[in-house]
């Protein structure tokens, strides 16, 4: 069987004296899947994302992404891991406003040591693929929210990451722009990109994912894969 993109085993994380933010969570995401992580505020979604992104460590359990044990990485190793294995898309885009669109997209490749010419070619290709090439020389502040999120997706894909992680990618967009981003994620997944999206947006979850994982009180309350129909009697 192929290496899972994400493998969490028995992961727990508790902050200070509070209840566990994550409590013995095990989750496997395979290449090509698109998974929505749903759950009320405070249920542990951000904690889960931070652990997968190597921004935090579990108290117990292991986090493995595309064969890399993320929970054991130091600061430098974790930065290198993020650059090579994951692309991240955030609610508020997190673009650098004093760099052009093209330079924002190129940045991750430059940080990874890709030659300028090659990085520029890849950026141009992505901007075209995502339908924003005409804005390559503009600054992000001039673009609409939906366009900015496309730029953020292009930047996230720059280093061809095995995993695209999106944290409320439609949260700051109006309905039309949200549908646009949702359509884009659907298309990328159809082309083979593994996607994990944390969202409150049920329309987004329905449109661009085939699997929904519901978290409640730090535990996986439900993991639904419509393709693997559970017999009624055992539900
Ligand atoms: P969600 O993303 O689903 O809103 P979080 O992962 O942010 O949930 O939070 C899960 C629980 O952990 C909540 O009870 C929250 O208050 C707590 N928590 C999250 N981050 C911290 C932190 N840095 N310090 C203390 N408690 C935290």
């Amino acid at each position: 069987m192929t290496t899972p993109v994400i493998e969490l085993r028995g992961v727990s994380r508790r902050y200070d004296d509070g209840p566990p933010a994550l409590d013995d969570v095990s989750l496997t995401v395979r290449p090509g899947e698109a998974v929505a992580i749903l759950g009320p505020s405070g249920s542990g979604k951000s904690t889960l994302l931070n652990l997968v992104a190597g921004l935090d460590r579990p108290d117990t359990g292991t986090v493995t992404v595309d064969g890399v044990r993320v929970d054991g990485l130091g600061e430098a190793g974790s930065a290198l891991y993020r650059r090579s294995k994951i692309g991240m898309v955030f609610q508020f885009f997190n673009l650098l406003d004093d760099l052009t669109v093209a330079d924002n997209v190129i940045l991750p490749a430059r940080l990874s040591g890709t030659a300028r010419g090659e990085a520029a070619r890849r950026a141009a290709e992505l901007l075209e693929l995502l339908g924003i090439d005409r804005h390559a020389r503009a600054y992000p502040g001039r673009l609409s929210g939906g366009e900015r999120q496309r730029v953020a997706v292009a930047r996230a894909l720059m280093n061809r990451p095995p995993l695209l992680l999106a944290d409320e990618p439609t949260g700051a967009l109006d309905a039309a722009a949200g549908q646009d981003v949702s359509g884009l994620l659907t298309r990328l997944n159809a082309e083979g990109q593994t996607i994990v999206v944390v969202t409150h947006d049920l329309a987004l979850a329905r449109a661009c994912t085939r699997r929904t994982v519901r978290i409640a009180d730090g535990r996986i309350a439900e993991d639904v894969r419509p393709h693997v129909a559970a017999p009624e009697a055992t539900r």
Side-chain angles (χ1 to χ4, degrees):
M1 225 193 231
T2 51
T3 310
V5 176
I6 298 179
E7 178 122 70
L8 303 185
R9 282 187 191 258
V11 167
S12 297
R13 175 73 170 101
R14 177 194 291 265
Y15 299 99
D16 307 320
D17 294 333
L22 283 184
D23 186 7
D24 194 20
V25 167
S26 294
L27 176 72
T28 302
V29 176
R30 301 208 168 271
E33 280 198 289
V35 182
I37 311 275
L38 304 169
S41 185
S43 56
K45 304 182 298 295
S46 305
T47 302
L48 182 91
L49 264 193
N50 287 340
L51 291 172
V52 171
L55 295 165
D56 189 18
R57 286 175 174 214
D59 298 319
T60 56
T62 61
V63 179
T64 310
V65 174
D66 197 38
V68 175
R69 268 291 293 276
V70 180
D71 52 284
L73 294 174
E75 216 169 286
S78 138
L80 189 64
Y81 154 73
R82 267 192 300 285
R83 281 208 293 273
S84 62
K85 297 291 189 190
I86 57 177
M88 292 195 76
V89 176
F90 305 92
Q91 180 173 1
F92 294 106
F93 327 124
N94 290 16
L95 298 170
L96 297 175
D97 286 334
D98 49 0
L99 293 184
T100 64
V101 162
D103 285 338
N104 265 281
V105 175
I106 285 170
L107 195 61
R110 295 295 292 154
L111 292 173
S112 304
T114 308
R116 177 161 270 285
E118 192 188 331
R121 269 194 302 280
R122 166 88 178 140
E125 185 186 295
L126 278 170
L127 289 172
E128 193 181 342
L129 183 77
L130 302 192
I132 36 174
D133 43 325
R134 69 185 183 284
H135 299 300
R137 291 175 188 215
Y139 288 86
R142 305 250 331 254
L143 306 188
S144 71
E147 288 165 343
R148 277 187 239 189
Q149 200 58 299
R150 282 177 172 256
V151 177
V153 171
R155 177 184 59 182
L157 295 175
M158 189 67 196
N159 289 342
R160 303 178 198 275
L163 174 63
L164 182 65
L165 276 183
D167 189 2
E168 293 287 2
T170 59
L173 303 178
D174 62 33
Q179 275 179 18
D180 183 58
V181 165
S182 162
L184 174 59
L185 295 178
T186 305
R187 198 179 96 204
L188 292 170
N189 177 246
E191 288 164 6
Q193 178 68 52
T194 308
I195 298 177
V196 170
V197 52
V198 168
T199 187
H200 282 98
D201 183 347
L202 284 177
L204 171 71
R206 265 189 227 113
C208 78
T209 73
R210 275 164 292 164
R211 178 176 173 196
T212 51
V213 174
R214 280 183 192 276
I215 304 203
D217 299 326
R219 305 192 71 120
I220 293 182
E222 191 181 62
D223 186 346
V224 183
R225 277 178 271 210
H227 292 311
V228 189
E232 286 296 326
T234 62
R235 273 194 193 151

